[in-house]
Amino acid sequence: MEKQQYVNINNDEKSFVVSGAIKTAAELVHCYNTFQAKTKKIDDVLCLEDKEILLQTLQEYLKEYGAFINSTTAITGFYIYQASGEQYNAMTVTNIKIQLRQLKKILMSKEILNSICQKFFEEYFTRFL
């Protein structure tokens, strides 16, 4: 007598859940790696005590991400504005480092939000195909 073989539905469901978890983990790792790559320069200069290099790095990031930061002011409380010469001269290395650390946190939030939005769009789009 020949044995019948059946697909175990429970294992199939578990496999689906596991594969979904693996995909999500891979996306999160990619999100983290993207964040790390985008903030590497901040990490590299935070150990320096050179005001000019720190300020130049801050300006580079603010130029690239200033619009995003200003668009989220209501949530974050951070706003980018033009500093006067007096304000510039009054800034200390410590002040600039604090701003760079805050900027790094904002960029992390941006990358996480971007990843979440992409995932939501993908799931929403898939449902309606």
Side-chain angles (χ1 to χ4, degrees):
M1 184 165 148
E2 189 174 305
K3 269 190 162 179
Q4 294 287 330
Q5 293 189 359
Y6 298 96
V7 174
N8 185 331
I9 294 173
N10 291 334
N11 286 341
D12 192 40
E13 289 174 10
K14 288 178 185 176
S15 173
F16 181 75
V17 170
V18 168
S19 65
I22 290 170
K23 181 181 178 210
T24 300
E27 290 168 349
L28 291 174
V29 167
H30 175 72
C31 175
Y32 180 77
N33 289 341
T34 301
F35 160 72
Q36 289 291 91
K38 288 186 177 187
T39 60
K40 183 178 181 341
K41 189 169 186 178
I42 291 175
D43 292 333
D44 291 346
V45 300
L46 279 174
C47 62
L48 303 176
E49 296 298 319
D50 187 327
K51 180 179 176 179
E52 294 302 317
I53 292 173
L54 290 166
L55 197 54
Q56 180 183 0
T57 304
L58 179 63
Q59 292 301 317
E60 286 175 22
Y61 278 91
L62 291 178
K63 184 177 180 183
E64 186 172 348
Y65 297 102
F68 170 78
I69 292 168
N70 285 343
S71 71
T72 60
T73 298
I75 299 168
T76 63
F78 294 108
Y79 184 77
I80 307 303
Y81 64 91
Q82 198 76 27
S84 68
E86 197 174 278
Q87 290 171 316
Y88 171 80
N89 291 332
M91 291 178 76
T92 65
V93 168
T94 303
N95 296 134
I96 300 167
K97 285 184 177 185
I98 289 169
Q99 290 182 36
L100 283 167
R101 286 185 191 103
Q102 289 172 335
L103 182 59
K104 185 175 175 180
K105 290 175 186 175
I106 291 169
L107 293 179
M108 180 175 64
S109 300
K110 180 185 185 301
E111 289 305 315
I112 290 170
L113 285 173
N114 187 38
S115 180
I116 290 169
C117 288
Q118 285 177 350
K119 184 152 183 65
F120 174 76
F121 177 80
E122 181 182 301
E123 288 176 7
Y124 185 80
F125 187 73
T126 303
R127 279 189 211 157
F128 290 100
L129 279 180

